[in-house]
Amino acid sequence: MGVKLEELLKLPSLKEAKVVSGVTNLSNTVTSLSFLEVSDMSFFNEKIGLPDEYYAGELVIGSFFTIKDDVEKQCEAIRRLHGLGELGIILYYVGIVLDDLAQEVIDVAEELGFVIIKMPENDYSLRYNEVIVEVMTELLKQKSTENIVNEVLEKTSSLPEHLRNVEMSLKSLSDLLRANIILTDDEGEIINQIRWPRNSKLKLANFLLSADRNANAPIKKENCWVFSREIFHKDNGVLNVYLVKEHEPLTPSECEQSVELIQVALNLWGKKHGEVSEHGLVKAILNDESEKMYRLANKLSIDVKSINLMWLFQLKGPEKEKEIKAEVLDYVTKYYHTSIVQLVEDQLIVLLGNYRYNEQEVALSENFLGSSQFVMEIESLAVCPRLRNTTDVRKNYQLINSLKEELSTLFIGKKHFTISEVRQVQQAIECVRSGEVKVDEVLRNIQPIIENTEQMHTLCTFLLDADADYQKCGEYLFIHKNTVKYRIKRINELLGCDVTRISDSYEYSITCLVHRIVRRSNTI
């Protein structure tokens, strides 16, 4: 089910619209249409956004009314919509609601491959319903369940790697069939439960007890039609699939194809999908498998809602990983009631919550590195405090993984990082990618000293490598700490600021990162 975006642009309601970004992605398939009522992403994330959803194939309609005077928030809306899987936006009332569509917004969308379709400017006669009716008519024309397996697998395979999993396949299947889907183990414990619609209050557990697994077609139970089938998976043993649809039954073909799809999804992404272990719990968190996460947390008696801190170790090799894991676990259990320590690929993930003491916990990670007998086997440790939920865990994990190679090259001799420093690296890289004008604007901060190699080396080492510590900086530079103090004092005088003050330190840290990235690029 779906229509290529380039075909939709031929519709009468869209043929006068102009594509201003993402032209190379017009061959993508649109599977649904939604209305962007809240375009302020800070409000959306806090009040509306669902942490466990991804809207692959969706196109949104909106006007940016609530952020019409804030270009930065418009850019953030584009980034967030792209991050949610949206293909693009049909933008209404440019010249009326928005005075103009800023080039910065177009540039962000173009970089992401996000499609912006701008409706005719200054046209008061435009109506949302014209596009909604025509696009939905085309989508419904294409609704077919003749090839469920290929369609859902293709959609799941197009998702970011961390979202290619059984749960996302079940969500896509649920949306396609407009049906509830339940997957249980052989003891009847629910592994996955996908509701349709997502806010459904239907008591699905009631249908599990009376389901007939030998029936070849759905059987009516109350106001619903229920189909169930027992399947076998080599890693998970016997599993039970339940399809529950309100008001009308699924066809026998739809039921058989759904079972086949679930079997294939389990083969592709479901190794140990039903395992009950802390490792399985961590993988469920990182893969955004919410149902599985809560099921495992409940079985393991782990309060995942209490997790508010993550340590992420990058290890140099597998030789000592078990010993490092044991050492970390022994250390953190002294301080936290909730402590999960698991190896995932070449990383050690530590999830913590319910701190046992009243005093500050901020120095615990650095103290661990200082006392570890395996410190030489640890490449780096990134610390992420103040996590609100497991969505924050996953996002920080992805961010650190995307930048882990940069951390080791931009910070010299440093092992311990805060998530703030990781975000600074992200900002610096985005600055460099924005082009020469943006880079020149940022480097203007250090213009008075940029040609002085000694002063630049001292400033970068002081802010980035030595955490603004005079003693540590002196050790890195092989000079006395008083010499460092003198140099920093002189640098402050030339720059007209105090780089040891938090507000100035943050800005100049990003500037130093940009300087190192540019200098590295010039030497390649």
Side-chain angles (χ1 to χ4, degrees):
M1 181 183 72
V3 182
K4 291 188 182 300
L5 187 49
E6 58 194 358
E7 294 300 318
L8 293 178
L9 290 171
K10 298 174 184 178
L11 294 171
S13 61
L14 286 172
K15 66 180 181 180
E16 301 300 326
K18 180 180 179 182
V19 178
V20 297
S21 70
V23 175
T24 57
N25 288 324
L26 295 182
S27 60
N28 287 345
T29 300
V30 178
T31 57
S32 60
L33 185 68
S34 186
F35 184 71
L36 183 66
E37 186 173 8
V38 176
S39 45
D40 186 331
M41 289 298 118
S42 58
F43 181 88
F44 178 90
N45 292 337
E46 181 180 352
K47 301 289 186 181
I48 299 174
L50 298 174
D52 307 315
E53 291 296 333
Y54 193 80
Y55 305 95
E58 188 167 87
L59 191 63
V60 296
I61 295 179
S63 67
F64 285 163
F65 176 76
T66 59
I67 53 173
K68 59 186 177 65
D69 299 318
D70 193 327
V71 172
E72 183 53 44
K73 284 193 173 183
Q74 293 167 28
C75 292
E76 177 57 28
I78 296 297
R79 294 189 190 97
R80 179 64 173 138
L81 290 171
H82 174 264
L84 288 169
E86 306 283 359
L87 290 180
I89 183 171
I90 303 173
L91 193 60
Y92 272 71
Y93 303 125
V94 177
I96 301 171
V97 172
L98 287 179
D99 289 336
D100 193 16
L101 181 60
Q103 187 61 44
E104 296 99 303
V105 179
I106 297 173
D107 290 344
V108 168
E110 187 63 38
E111 182 180 346
L112 296 171
F114 185 82
V115 181
I116 298 180
I117 302 167
K118 185 171 67 172
M119 296 298 281
E121 296 185 29
N122 299 301
D123 190 342
Y124 289 87
S125 68
L126 292 173
R127 297 186 298 170
Y128 286 124
N129 71 314
E130 293 167 343
V131 167
I132 291 171
V133 169
E134 284 202 315
V135 170
M136 289 308 300
T137 298
E138 290 301 308
L139 293 180
L140 291 172
K141 273 184 193 176
Q142 300 298 321
K143 182 180 181 344
S144 170
T145 53
E146 294 178 0
N147 203 353
I148 289 174
V149 178
N150 285 349
E151 182 171 333
V152 174
L153 289 180
E154 181 181 333
K155 189 172 183 179
T156 305
S157 298
S158 69
L159 299 178
E161 186 174 357
H162 74 281
L163 290 175
R164 296 173 203 161
N165 55 52
V166 174
E167 179 148 328
M168 291 307 297
S169 299
L170 295 180
K171 286 182 176 180
S172 295
L173 177 61
S174 172
D175 288 339
L176 182 63
L177 300 177
R178 301 195 299 279
N180 302 275
I181 302 175
I182 308 165
L183 185 66
T184 75
D185 61 20
D186 60 341
E187 295 180 354
E189 290 285 342
I190 294 176
I191 299 174
N192 294 95
Q193 178 176 265
I194 312 299
R195 293 181 175 274
W196 203 96
R198 294 292 190 267
N199 67 340
S200 171
K201 298 299 187 291
L202 199 63
K203 294 181 179 179
L204 296 176
N206 293 346
F207 299 102
L208 306 188
L209 301 175
S210 56
D212 182 355
R213 299 191 189 100
N214 297 315
N216 294 319
I219 296 173
K220 191 171 185 180
K221 304 284 184 181
E222 301 174 21
N223 291 325
C224 298
W225 296 81
V226 182
F227 176 83
S228 64
R229 178 66 57 83
E230 184 178 274
I231 61 176
F232 180 81
H233 185 255
K234 60 180 180 179
D235 292 315
N236 300 294
V238 176
L239 301 173
N240 297 301
V241 177
Y242 300 86
L243 307 176
V244 181
K245 186 172 174 66
E246 295 185 76
H247 302 307
E248 62 178 356
L250 296 168
T251 67
S253 174
E254 289 172 333
C255 294
E256 294 300 332
Q257 287 187 75
S258 297
V259 171
E260 181 184 351
L261 166 70
I262 294 169
Q263 189 83 63
V264 173
L266 284 165
N267 290 336
L268 288 173
W269 302 297
K271 186 177 181 180
K272 297 183 179 179
H273 185 64
E275 74 169 334
V276 179
S277 68
E278 285 192 4
H279 184 270
L281 174 60
V282 171
K283 292 290 286 183
I285 291 172
L286 299 181
N287 291 335
D288 195 16
E289 297 178 286
S290 57
E291 291 285 349
K292 182 179 179 181
M293 177 188 74
Y294 286 116
R295 175 182 64 85
L296 292 177
N298 183 56
K299 283 195 169 186
L300 295 167
S301 299
I302 293 175
D303 181 11
V304 291
K305 292 183 179 179
S306 73
I307 295 171
N308 58 11
L309 175 64
M310 175 172 70
W311 296 1
L312 185 58
F313 290 85
Q314 306 295 335
L315 305 181
K316 291 183 177 180
E319 293 80 10
K320 296 292 183 181
E321 59 183 20
K322 291 183 180 179
E323 291 87 343
I324 296 172
K325 176 184 175 182
E327 184 184 46
V328 172
L329 184 60
D330 181 63
Y331 182 84
V332 297
T333 51
K334 298 174 185 176
Y335 299 97
Y336 296 91
H337 289 286
T338 300
S339 52
I340 305 171
V341 181
Q342 287 296 319
L343 288 159
V344 177
E345 298 172 354
D346 59 343
Q347 300 169 104
L348 187 65
I349 299 176
V350 183
L351 303 177
L352 304 168
N354 290 322
Y355 186 53
R356 295 176 184 271
Y357 305 103
N358 293 324
E359 62 265 24
Q360 290 292 320
E361 54 185 312
V362 66
L364 289 178
S365 53
E366 288 188 275
N367 292 343
F368 171 80
L369 277 183
S371 62
S372 174
Q373 61 177 311
F374 302 106
V375 66
M376 298 307 296
E377 304 298 324
I378 297 172
E379 183 73 38
S380 65
L381 166 57
V383 179
C384 309
R386 299 183 300 280
L387 302 174
R388 297 167 298 177
N389 47 46
T390 55
T391 300
D392 283 354
V393 171
R394 185 174 65 256
K395 287 181 178 178
N396 284 322
Y397 172 82
Q398 293 166 6
L399 176 61
I400 294 166
N401 266 287
S402 69
L403 298 171
K404 61 184 179 183
E405 302 299 330
E406 301 288 349
L407 294 177
S408 60
T409 58
L410 293 176
F411 295 85
I412 300 168
K414 189 178 174 74
K415 286 183 181 287
H416 186 276
F417 299 93
T418 65
I419 191 62
S420 177
E421 290 170 318
V422 177
R423 292 189 185 115
Q424 287 175 23
V425 172
Q426 181 186 35
Q427 290 181 51
I429 291 173
E430 288 176 354
C431 169
V432 174
R433 287 175 179 169
S434 296
E436 192 174 332
V437 173
K438 183 65 175 177
V439 170
D440 289 343
E441 179 185 330
V442 172
L443 293 182
R444 198 175 299 135
N445 291 331
I446 53 174
Q447 197 61 43
I449 67 169
I450 199 167
E451 299 298 331
N452 189 309
T453 303
E454 180 183 90
Q455 290 176 336
M456 280 304 306
H457 187 40
T458 300
L459 180 62
C460 289
T461 302
F462 181 71
L463 291 179
L464 302 182
D465 310 326
D467 299 321
D469 184 296
Y470 293 108
Q471 180 66 38
K472 192 185 296 185
C473 184
E475 292 171 1
Y476 281 138
L477 298 176
F478 302 103
I479 58 178
H480 195 275
K481 71 174 183 179
N482 288 340
T483 305
V484 177
K485 288 182 178 179
Y486 171 77
R487 289 185 185 179
I488 294 299
K489 181 175 181 293
R490 179 59 180 153
I491 289 170
N492 286 339
E493 291 170 353
L494 292 170
L495 297 181
C497 68
D498 183 356
V499 297
T500 64
R501 191 169 55 194
I502 293 177
S503 56
D504 290 332
S505 173
Y506 186 86
E507 180 179 2
Y508 279 90
S509 292
I510 294 175
T511 303
C512 287
L513 285 167
V514 171
H515 173 71
R516 280 187 171 176
I517 294 171
V518 171
R519 188 180 62 178
R520 182 183 64 186
S521 300
N522 290 338
T523 58
I524 295 176

